[in-house]
Amino acid sequence: MVKSKIVLPCPPYIAPVLRQEIENLGYKVTHEGPLDVALEGTRNDCMHLNLHLRTANKVLFLIKSFKANDPDKLYQQLYQVKWEDYLDENGYLCITSYVNNEKILNTQFANVRVKDAIVDRLKDKTGTRPDSGPLRDQMVVFLHWMEDQVSIYLDTSGETISKHGYRKIPGKAPMNESLAAATILASNWKPNQVFINPMCGSGTLAIEAACIAANKAPGLNREKFGFHFLKGFDLEAWDKLKEEAIQNEKPIECEIIAGDNSRMAIQAAKQNAEEAGVDDAITFEKKDFRDSTIPESEGVVFLNPEYGERLGDEQELANVYSQIGDFFKRDCKGKTGYIFTGNMNLAKKIGLRTKRRIPFMNAKIECRLLEYELYAGTKKDKG
């Protein structure tokens, strides 16, 4: 199999977590940037990465890099690519892009030139051309054009892999699956420790924790990826990768507790957990966070409270954050506490000193994962 550069885009601040994921899968990382991680690999490696990665957005396989100052040069270079070796002339094609070039004022124009080059080449070589449009559910080609530097990729994911396929009922202000996984992987939680998730909402944090504890590949929840629609797709190799992933799953040895004071939230969380195949591993309880079941054993208490986007909300939530601090001090001694929030003013109401403040973005909101060491005795005793 031919090797090429594989680029894995991710949200801001997640690259170090993604790098660790990739290295844990046995790959050597060749580049880590603010918004992506890269390595060398084959198209079969792309299948493996799509199946297992929790924190990436997509898996891009490099076809060609070159210099182009204008759309005509772009077209000429892309027409020379042997697209008939990669794409099905009878299929459906979507072009996506990131363009930062002073001669291109409309990104859609660049996309059209990419599409024209591919379609013209396929039509000239095969006599047939694929349909094209905005849907990403089949073949996707990604253009990266920065000044005069151009890279063209096969998007082997198609639809983003940041969605893990189980969340049928998202709930109020949901946390993206890949972000939830990233916060857990960035924490000090170990899969043999208790994971307590009060204010669980639609259950994403608890479900991701259960999937990590079970070593359950997130891609198993999905039927099709972009690579399914590429020429040379190796169905036998794909079936073998899935079979290996299932064989490598482990029984969950930790206690996972998800609570919420909303009956509807608990129902949604249960349904999502069932869809993910981990409902038996999570104890759901309809309780106010202050009444959460807190086992004696080591572990974490993980909360994702509302941020309060309007002034009135913030004033109302100040009391909630203060109560979280009291809850940590009173009931969670010996655990590590985590608060994921996009409002640092409210975070001050918790009234505890943070051990770490790990930056993340939730959509366009700058957030922090705040870590609190909740000592069972005095700090001196702990040392």
Side-chain angles (χ1 to χ4, degrees), residues 59-73:
V59 181
L60 303 174
F61 186 79
L62 180 67
I63 296 299
K64 186 178 185 181
S65 290
F66 54 90
K67 289 190 175 184
N69 287 310
D70 58 64
D72 289 339
K73 184 71 173 175

Side-chain angles (χ1 to χ4, degrees), residues 65-91:
S65 290
F66 54 90
K67 289 190 175 184
N69 287 310
D70 58 64
D72 289 339
K73 184 71 173 175
L74 177 76
Y75 176 94
Q76 291 162 13
Q77 287 282 345
L78 290 180
Y79 183 85
Q80 293 170 23
V81 175
K82 294 182 178 180
W83 293 108
E84 62 274 15
D85 292 345
Y86 300 109
L87 306 181
D88 181 1
E89 63 272 14
N90 296 305

Side-chain angles (χ1 to χ4, degrees), residues 37-204:
V37 179
L39 58 124
E40 294 286 320
T42 66
R43 281 168 60 182
N44 276 11
D45 290 326
C46 289
M47 293 195 296
H48 187 234
L49 292 162
N50 273 296
L51 180 62
H52 286 280
L53 290 177
R54 303 181 193 281
T55 63
N57 282 347
K58 47 191 171 183
V59 181
L60 303 174
F61 186 79
L62 180 67
I63 296 299
K64 186 178 185 181
S65 290
F66 54 90
K67 289 190 175 184
N69 287 310
D70 58 64
D72 289 339
K73 184 71 173 175
L74 177 76
Y75 176 94
Q76 291 162 13
Q77 287 282 345
L78 290 180
Y79 183 85
Q80 293 170 23
V81 175
K82 294 182 178 180
W83 293 108
E84 62 274 15
D85 292 345
Y86 300 109
L87 306 181
D88 181 1
E89 63 272 14
N90 296 305
Y92 177 93
L93 174 66
C94 175
I95 310 296
T96 61
S97 64
Y98 171 82
V99 178
N100 188 344
N101 181 299
E102 60 184 15
K103 294 187 180 179
I104 302 294
L105 300 177
N106 184 347
T107 301
Q108 286 303 315
F109 180 61
N111 292 7
V112 168
R113 292 307 281 158
V114 174
K115 186 261 298 179
D116 288 346
I118 295 172
V119 165
D120 289 350
R121 169 85 188 199
L122 287 173
K123 192 171 182 183
D124 290 348
K125 296 297 177 181
T126 70
T128 309
R129 54 151 291 170
D131 290 332
S132 61
L135 300 178
R136 302 184 188 189
D137 59 348
Q138 294 186 42
M139 296 183 294
V140 182
V141 171
F142 176 72
L143 166 72
H144 188 276
W145 192 358
M146 176 69 81
E147 296 174 353
D148 67 343
Q149 298 293 321
V150 179
S151 294
I152 197 81
Y153 299 88
L154 297 175
D155 182 346
T156 66
S157 303
E159 297 285 1
T160 180
I161 57 170
S162 64
K163 297 177 180 178
H164 297 164
Y166 59 77
R167 203 166 66 181
K168 305 303 181 187
I169 308 173
K172 184 181 177 184
M175 196 181 194
N176 177 292
E177 295 100 299
S178 64
L179 175 59
T183 61
I184 295 168
L185 292 171
S187 78
N188 291 332
W189 178 67
K190 296 176 177 60
N192 62 347
Q193 297 176 334
V194 65
F195 186 96
I196 306 155
N197 178 212
M199 298 181 172
C200 72
S202 57
T204 309

